[in-house]
Amino acid sequence: MANPARVSVSSTLLQSAPHQAVRLPAAPPSVSKCELQVQHHGRGKPPRVSFACLASRLHSTEPAYVAEAMLAGQTIGPCSAVELDARIRKHLKKPEFSPSAYDTAWVAMVPLPDSDPQAPCFPRCVEWILQNQHSSGSWGINEFGLLANKDIMLSTLACIIALKKWNIGSCHIRRGLEFIGRNVSTVKNEQIVSPVGFNLIFPGMLNHAITMGLEFPVRETDISGILHLREMELTRLAEEKSCGKEAYLAYVAEERLVNLLDYNQVMKFQRKNGSLFNSPAATAAALVHYYDNKALQYLDSIVRIFGGAVPTVYPQNIYYQLSMVDMLEKIGISRHFSSDINTILDKAYISWLQREEEIIQDVETCAMAFRLLRMNGYDVSSDELSHVAEASTFHNSLEGYLSQTNSLLELYKASKVCLSENELILENISNWSGRLLTEKLCCNGTNRIPIFGEVEYTLKFPFYATVEALDRKRNIEHFDSRVSEPLKTKNLLCHVNQDLLDFAVQDFSFSQSIYQDELSHLERWEKENRLHELRFLRKGSLINCYLSAAATISAHEFSDARIACAETIALVLVTDDFFDVGASKEEQENLIALVEKWDQHHQVEFYSEQVEVVFSALYTTVKQIGEMASAVQNLDVTKHLDETWLHYLRSAATEAGWRWSEYVPTVEQYMTEAVTSFGMGPIILTSLYLVQQKLENHIIKDPEYNELLKLMGTCGRLLNDTQGFERESSDGKLNVISLRVLHSEGSMSIEAAQEVIQESIASCRRDLLRLVVREERVVPRPCKDVFWRFCKTAHLFYCHTDGFSSPKEMLCTMNAIFREPLKLQITSPLAVQSEK
């Protein structure tokens, strides 16, 4: 494979208009000479770049382009590589929350207990309001550079009321009133996203401000129209009879101004830390009306932590850290922050075991924690989700009453991480959350709320049928749309989104350039081994073989493993077609004899030229891979690879023998051979030898390894037989479906047999995932992950057809991963419409 071209990747993201695609180059960043070593694979073979030394240095640290940029002092994106890496790690260890002008204003309104005359309990918050008014007269986060949005209008009104309450900042109040007057049309604009409870809170606060003597430069008709929003909302609420309604009214506790709830109804939602819903604003609003020592201590603690400005929600460290872990995984860069992620997950697991409110009482956090912890090998029980096992209990929560899409989506994702058919809680959650998400799509369409794009994707493509490389690209391209649903005001992480995006864009672009070089190498390998001369071989299958390898081993550090895996998959296809349609009985026996002799194969004559081509390609490639693997393992493993290939070929020969003799095996006989003849033995072993630095012989011989291989092979074979049934039936060939029908003696239809096979696939998949995520025993977790990723790749290839037999079916996926540059979608908030 030729050296990657030394092409500079632009680190500056183009500014674009809403919904405009930003095209980014797929060319690789420069790679220093010290990071590459050239390996010669036999005489007359062109050198191929090996990233083995690069992989060992970068396994859990920086990606290649970051490492080189660090050495060269170059910049990536708006800051240097060192700064970018350090900032992400800092965010992971200690999330930074944007100050919320709205919440700070409510905390500023809390009076000092037993003071006469009344004075602010938190004067630092009042001072912050005075020091942080924008030149426009507004307060709040101006995230998208807009003059006004409902979030800013709400924050500005709250700050005005806080200043008026303490008779301070008359100039600030005047400028704030003028800002609201200029932008009053924003309040009733249904095309602009509304914070939770906006139609209650803003009119209620406006009415209160008027009673305080504040004069708004707004027409009386506009005032009346805004107040009418509240009346309509109160009418709607009066007709509802829901436990969730009480939680909602307590959350928008500012509406105490109209006495919708009494003190006891509000305070029953108080948490152990003294807060209401971990919300400074809701807690402060309650304190404005009723003294509560625990609530006061809560506010005092966050003012001490954050100074004069408080965030929208606190504590939220677990949620935001888990969200970052989730995002790092989705955009494909989690491997570079593995130690930080492990620390976060360890802490989250302790919180989970201790059933801390921060992780258990918030539906979205609880579901996300369950999914991430379980998928990363922590022992978590689905019983902790029993409080949302039914739709009715979910609707009784605040998130359920608000029908929050994020919470529903997290619950649906969590429900899919099922390890046993007995996890009925997860099954129930999957049923009702999937139904509600589908209803949301039908009612709202996919263009109104950005998150609906992810909802549609998640419902359409189960997590076990997606692959990292494709998911990674999609998540990067839709990164800007991945915003949280609005609370009463925003609580964004400072700068972190841009840091993650810069990192992910560069990492993907570098990976894509390596993929292209590796694909060129494989095309040369195919010609050098004369595989293109084999007439029986499926056309266009090579790129599918590489797609399968890249989808499974996507990290660019593992170039050797990916290429060896692709070559092995290609050889499995060659030998599969050789035994299936391409060879006579004598040729098949000749190939087996040659492989049995292996290094002494010269003692056996080639029966035909095509036997010579097939064996030579197999022998040469396995020897080259064996040399690389032996160097990685510091042990000669070539013989083990040869034995694994021989085991696979004998199984393929057994199946061919059945066809020659017209023998009809039992389903059990068929599956015994079919699991082996699916070819995962040599494919998995080749991959693991180059991914795992120390794969000792006792691991490969352990029952756990054999069970992983059996489950993966069974799942793959059943998927293959399902999609190949019609084609093979028309060719007069047997597979597991036709055998089940045949041996049932008329008691089972084709449809019934297919249903049984689907159940078997689901069972194998669950059992495989359970082995992968359970506590590490003999097989190391990185090795078990390879089995799971191969399972996901098999689901991708056999989703609608046999991807290996129909290359065109996979063309879109190939282009997306290997050729098409990133296109980032920039979404304007004006295009986002509120769900409520």
Side-chain angles (χ1 to χ4, degrees):
M1 181 176 66
N3 289 340
R6 298 179 65 85
V7 181
S8 174
V9 175
S10 172
S11 61
T12 303
L13 297 179
L14 302 177
Q15 300 296 321
S16 76
H19 300 299
Q20 180 177 345
V22 180
R23 290 187 173 271
L24 293 149
S30 56
V31 179
S32 61
K33 293 179 181 178
C34 67
E35 291 173 334
L36 301 176
Q37 67 184 38
V38 178
Q39 294 183 343
H40 291 268
H41 292 164
R43 294 182 179 179
K45 304 292 184 185
R48 178 164 72 76
V49 177
S50 171
F51 291 79
C53 62
L54 180 62
S56 65
R57 184 165 66 81
L58 299 176
H59 181 62
S60 62
T61 54
E62 297 81 16
Y65 68 87
V66 171
E68 184 177 349
M70 287 178 175
L71 294 174
Q74 297 172 355
T75 60
I76 295 176
C79 59
S80 73
V82 177
E83 292 172 336
L84 187 61
D85 183 86
R87 279 166 57 166
I88 293 175
R89 292 184 192 280
K90 181 181 177 182
H91 287 308
L92 281 167
K93 292 175 182 176
K94 188 177 180 181
E96 297 177 24
F97 305 117
S98 294
S100 165
Y102 175 81
D103 288 76
T104 300
W106 272 102
V107 176
M109 292 184 220
V110 175
L112 186 67
D114 302 323
S115 62
D116 189 22
Q118 278 198 339
C121 188
F122 303 103
R124 294 172 67 186
C125 295
V126 179
E127 182 63 25
W128 184 90
I129 294 172
L130 292 171
Q131 297 295 327
N132 286 274
Q133 187 178 32
H134 299 308
S135 59
S136 63
S138 66
W139 283 270
I141 299 173
N142 197 351
E143 180 193 359
F144 292 96
L146 300 174
L147 292 177
N149 59 41
K150 292 181 181 180
D151 190 46
I152 291 175
M153 293 290 283
L154 196 59
S155 297
T156 301
L157 181 55
C159 288
I160 290 172
I161 293 174
L163 294 178
K164 178 64 176 177
K165 178 169 184 174
W166 306 119
N167 291 314
I168 192 172
S170 57
C171 291
H172 295 75
I173 292 173
R174 176 180 53 79
R175 291 198 301 270
L177 292 171
E178 290 173 352
F179 174 83
I180 290 177
R182 291 194 305 271
N183 298 281
V184 70
S185 61
T186 302
V187 176
K188 296 180 66 178
N189 188 342
E190 294 183 357
Q191 299 302 311
I192 298 177
V193 65
S194 294
V196 168
F198 181 83
N199 286 353
L200 276 179
I201 298 171
F202 190 89
M205 291 176 64
L206 178 65
N207 185 60
H208 181 61
I210 293 172
T211 63
M212 294 175 75
L214 290 168
E215 296 182 1
F216 291 82
V218 177
R219 292 177 301 180
E220 193 64 35
T221 54
D222 288 330
I223 296 289
S224 298
I226 292 172
L227 296 179
H228 184 60
L229 292 175
R230 179 183 62 175
E231 298 306 320
M232 289 192 298
E233 186 70 0
L234 290 175
T235 300
R236 181 186 69 81
L237 287 167
E239 297 173 354
E240 286 190 356
K241 297 189 182 298
S242 159
C243 294
K245 182 176 76 172
E246 282 193 12
Y248 170 68
L249 291 175
Y251 182 68
V252 293
E254 298 83 339
E255 195 53 24
R256 287 280 309 142
L257 298 170
V258 292
N259 298 314
L260 288 177
L261 294 174
D262 63 27
Y263 173 77
N264 290 328
Q265 287 176 305
V266 172
M267 298 310 289
K268 76 177 184 180
F269 295 102
Q270 188 176 40
R271 298 191 176 180
K272 292 178 181 178
N273 61 12
S275 74
L276 295 177
F277 307 100
N278 287 339
S279 166
T283 308
L287 269 173
V288 167
H289 299 280
Y290 302 102
Y291 175 77
D292 183 90
N293 187 56
K294 286 180 63 180
L296 190 62
Q297 289 178 2
Y298 165 77
L299 292 181
D300 184 64
S301 69
I302 61 174
V303 171
R304 289 176 183 272
I305 293 171
F306 294 100
V310 301
T312 297
V313 181
Y314 184 82
Q316 277 284 77
N317 279 15
I318 293 178
Y319 170 77
Y320 279 107
Q321 285 183 314
L322 291 177
S323 295
M324 279 198 68
V325 170
D326 193 36
M327 181 56 66
L328 289 170
E329 290 183 356
K330 288 176 180 175
I331 60 179
I333 58 175
S334 60
R335 66 194 188 280
H336 304 301
F337 304 94
S338 57
S339 61
D340 303 275
I341 289 173
N342 289 337
T343 299
I344 290 171
L345 294 178
D346 284 345
K347 290 180 179 178
Y349 185 54
I350 293 173
S351 297
W352 178 277
L353 293 177
Q354 295 176 348
R355 305 193 82 255
E356 293 182 4
E357 284 186 337
E358 186 180 351
I359 201 170
I360 298 297
Q361 287 201 1
D362 183 83
V363 172
E364 185 178 353
T365 305
C366 187
M368 187 190 305
F370 173 81
R371 173 172 57 86
L372 290 176
L373 289 173
R374 175 167 278 195
M375 287 302 296
N376 282 277
Y378 295 83
D379 183 16
V380 290
S381 170
S382 57
D383 291 345
E384 296 297 345
L385 296 175
S386 60
H387 61 295
V388 285
E390 304 295 338
S392 57
T393 55
F394 172 71
H395 288 309
N396 288 339
S397 68
L398 176 62
E399 297 94 333
Y401 179 81
L402 297 173
S403 190
Q404 287 188 343
T405 306
N406 275 0
S407 297
L408 279 173
L409 184 58
E410 281 301 331
L411 282 169
Y412 182 77
K413 290 179 180 178
S415 72
K416 295 303 176 182
V417 190
C418 184
L419 305 182
S420 167
E421 61 182 7
N422 297 321
E423 290 192 298
L424 299 181
I425 290 175
L426 296 184
E427 183 179 343
N428 288 342
I429 293 174
S430 175
N431 291 336
W432 68 256
S433 62
R435 184 184 71 253
L436 291 178
L437 288 171
T438 302
E439 290 174 359
K440 277 179 169 284
L441 287 180
C442 295
C443 294
N444 294 279
T446 59
N447 295 321
R448 298 177 66 188
I449 306 295
I451 195 176
F452 280 1
E454 184 179 358
V455 170
E456 186 177 40
Y457 185 81
T458 302
L459 291 174
K460 185 176 181 180
F461 301 104
F463 84 106
Y464 56 79
T466 61
V467 293
E468 182 180 329
L470 199 59
D471 267 358
R472 171 189 183 187
K473 184 177 186 183
R474 182 194 177 278
N475 289 326
I476 293 173
E477 290 182 332
H478 291 80
F479 187 87
D480 191 62
S481 297
R482 301 181 57 77
V483 294
S484 298
E485 289 179 291
L487 296 172
K488 280 178 274 188
T489 56
K490 294 189 181 297
N491 195 38
L492 303 173
L493 286 170
C494 303
H495 311 298
V496 68
N497 285 348
Q498 191 61 52
D499 291 343
L500 294 175
L501 185 60
D502 288 345
F503 201 109
V505 165
Q506 294 284 353
D507 191 74
F508 180 86
S509 297
F510 185 58
S511 296
Q512 195 172 58
S513 70
I514 292 176
Y515 294 160
Q516 292 167 0
D517 284 335
E518 291 173 352
L519 192 52
S520 297
H521 163 81
L522 285 169
E523 289 169 350
R524 290 195 300 272
W525 169 82
E526 181 185 40
K527 292 180 180 178
E528 290 162 6
N529 286 281
R530 300 171 57 195
L531 297 179
H532 62 293
E533 297 177 9
L534 299 173
R535 296 183 179 181
F536 61 79
L537 185 61
R538 281 168 270 191
K539 302 301 179 185
S541 59
L542 181 66
I543 192 170
N544 268 341
C545 296
Y546 182 67
L547 173 61
S548 179
T552 304
I553 309 172
S554 60
H556 54 64
E557 297 93 320
F558 294 113
S559 181
D560 284 340
R562 190 164 43 251
I563 290 178
C565 177
E567 291 174 348
T568 303
I569 294 171
L571 289 173
V572 167
L573 280 184
V574 168
T575 51
D576 181 63
D577 287 353
F578 178 84
F579 281 96
D580 197 18
V581 296
S584 65
K585 184 177 181 181
E586 291 75 16
E587 287 175 314
Q588 294 174 6
E589 292 172 348
N590 183 222
L591 179 62
I592 294 292
L594 288 163
V595 175
E596 287 174 340
K597 288 294 185 180
W598 199 241
D599 286 333
Q600 285 75 43
H601 64 270
H602 58 274
Q603 299 175 6
V604 181
E605 292 186 6
F606 294 115
Y607 186 86
S608 66
E609 185 178 5
Q610 75 172 7
V611 172
E612 181 179 5
V613 170
V614 172
F615 176 77
S616 297
L618 179 63
Y619 179 79
T620 303
T621 304
V622 173
K623 291 286 283 187
Q624 291 173 354
I625 292 173
E627 291 172 7
M628 285 194 298
S630 298
V632 173
Q633 298 297 320
N634 196 28
L635 177 71
D636 188 0
V637 298
T638 307
K639 183 178 180 181
H640 196 187
L641 287 171
D642 170 32
E643 292 172 347
T644 304
W645 271 104
L646 184 58
H647 183 55
Y648 155 71
L649 292 173
R650 283 173 172 162
S651 182
T654 298
E655 290 184 342
W658 291 341
R659 289 193 296 273
W660 291 116
S661 64
E662 298 184 352
Y663 174 73
V664 178
T666 64
V667 173
E668 291 73 20
Q669 288 174 324
Y670 174 82
M671 288 305 301
T672 298
E673 299 299 336
V675 169
T676 304
S677 67
F678 188 65
M680 290 311 301
I683 293 171
I684 285 281
L685 189 60
T686 296
S687 305
L688 294 185
Y689 272 145
L690 294 168
V691 168
Q692 182 70 20
Q693 290 187 341
K694 194 64 176 176
L695 188 66
E696 297 180 3
N697 194 48
H698 77 273
I699 295 176
I700 300 170
K701 295 186 179 300
D702 191 84
E704 184 184 23
Y705 181 92
N706 292 328
E707 183 65 13
L708 287 163
L709 186 60
K710 178 183 177 182
L711 289 169
M712 172 61 245
T714 301
C715 198
R717 171 54 67 190
L718 294 178
L719 286 166
N720 177 280
D721 280 11
T722 299
Q723 294 301 335
F725 170 68
E726 291 186 5
R727 172 175 51 83
E728 291 177 337
S729 294
S730 63
D731 293 339
K733 298 175 183 176
L734 296 173
N735 72 15
V736 69
I737 295 176
S738 56
L739 284 173
R740 280 194 171 276
V741 174
L742 187 62
H743 287 298
S744 72
E745 298 180 350
S747 64
M748 179 178 285
S749 65
I750 293 175
E751 292 75 16
Q754 290 172 328
E755 185 175 336
V756 169
I757 297 305
Q758 289 302 318
E759 291 173 357
S760 297
I761 292 171
S763 177
C764 281
R765 188 173 59 238
R766 280 194 304 266
D767 292 346
L768 177 62
L769 183 59
R770 184 171 63 252
L771 279 180
V772 169
V773 303
R774 74 179 181 183
E775 184 179 353
E776 190 170 302
R777 297 185 180 181
V778 176
V779 181
R781 178 61 191 264
C783 295
K784 293 196 286 188
D785 284 339
V786 173
F787 282 95
W788 177 244
R789 289 199 294 268
F790 266 118
C791 181
K792 296 178 69 174
T793 301
H795 277 84
L796 173 70
F797 269 81
Y798 300 113
C799 182
H800 301 295
T801 185
D802 182 346
F804 287 101
S805 298
S806 307
K808 290 183 179 179
E809 294 291 333
M810 307 304 296
L811 187 60
C812 182
T813 301
M814 297 172 199
N815 288 333
I817 297 175
F818 301 144
R819 297 190 175 96
E820 295 171 358
L822 287 167
K823 291 176 275 188
L824 303 185
Q825 300 298 318
I826 308 300
T827 305
S828 165
L830 288 176
V832 179
Q833 187 173 6
S834 173
E835 293 183 66
K836 293 296 287 182

